[in-house]
Amino acid sequence: MNTYIIFGVLALIGIFVLISWNSNTHGIAEDKTELRNREIRQEKRDLKLIITYDYGEKTEIITEKATAEIIKSTMKSINWNEFHIVQLEDTNADGYKALDVGGSLGDDGLASGLVTDDNHILLVKPLETVDQMTEILLDFLKGEEIWRNKYEYK
């Protein structure tokens, strides 16, 4: 009789372990699936890189599909002693959506903003360097969720 009880208890323990293990691997599979879906959405997100200068008089499209390398080289090539705006426009967004950084190292100062059909919000913390502006653009390129979790705009 004791043997049956021991086997019964071991069987119950085995069932609980199996259920627990299965639910953990199911959660891991869901996490991996969500991560892959996010990567696919990221791949479909085309960002157009645009430079505006001469206080808005001239605009130049640098590329229709921005990459980190293109953003870095573009930011380094600009004379930031003169006023410029560098913008990443999300061409896959519903409606208009663009993140911009700009200004000058002189009297104008530096700023960043997100422009949509409905709103224009500005970075709360003032920018001081071109490297900070470049970092904001690169974070936006990585994904809007990453960018929104790192910076405060109002």
Side-chain angles (χ1 to χ4, degrees):
M1 184 72 162
N2 286 339
T3 308
Y4 291 119
I5 292 174
I6 291 172
F7 281 125
V9 170
L10 289 175
L12 285 174
I13 291 171
I15 290 171
F16 286 123
V17 168
L18 182 63
I19 290 171
S20 175
W21 178 79
N22 188 28
S23 66
N24 284 341
T25 57
H26 182 66
I28 291 169
E30 283 180 354
D31 290 344
K32 286 184 179 180
T33 302
E34 176 57 30
L35 181 61
R36 180 66 188 140
N37 288 343
R38 192 175 305 145
E39 289 171 359
I40 290 169
R41 284 192 303 268
Q42 180 74 17
E43 291 169 6
K44 291 181 181 178
R45 191 167 167 251
D46 294 327
L47 298 176
K48 184 189 306 185
L49 183 64
I50 304 166
I51 297 177
T52 304
Y53 51 99
D54 285 344
Y55 291 97
E57 295 296 319
K58 298 179 183 174
T59 300
E60 179 182 349
I61 297 173
I62 303 301
T63 182
E64 295 286 333
K65 295 186 179 187
T67 65
E69 294 76 27
I70 294 171
I71 291 170
K72 288 176 190 177
S73 66
T74 300
M75 293 297 286
K76 286 179 183 177
S77 71
I78 295 172
N79 176 3
W80 287 103
N81 292 316
E82 298 175 5
F83 187 87
H84 288 80
I85 298 171
V86 178
Q87 178 177 318
L88 284 175
E89 181 181 331
D90 189 346
T91 58
N92 300 110
D94 293 331
Y96 181 80
K97 183 185 291 180
L99 176 78
D100 62 62
V101 295
S104 72
L105 293 171
D107 294 334
D108 298 309
L110 304 174
S112 176
L114 179 73
V115 181
T116 64
D117 287 331
D118 304 325
N119 211 351
H120 188 165
I121 56 175
L122 297 173
L123 181 66
V124 172
K125 183 180 176 188
L127 295 170
E128 297 176 5
T129 68
V130 175
D131 289 339
Q132 289 173 323
M133 292 192 303
T134 303
E135 183 179 345
I136 288 172
L137 292 173
L138 293 173
D139 287 337
F140 190 73
L141 178 69
K142 291 175 188 172
E144 193 170 341
E145 290 175 16
I146 293 169
W147 169 79
R148 284 195 183 273
N149 290 327
K150 191 170 179 181
Y151 304 99
E152 183 182 357
Y153 283 70
K154 288 187 179 182

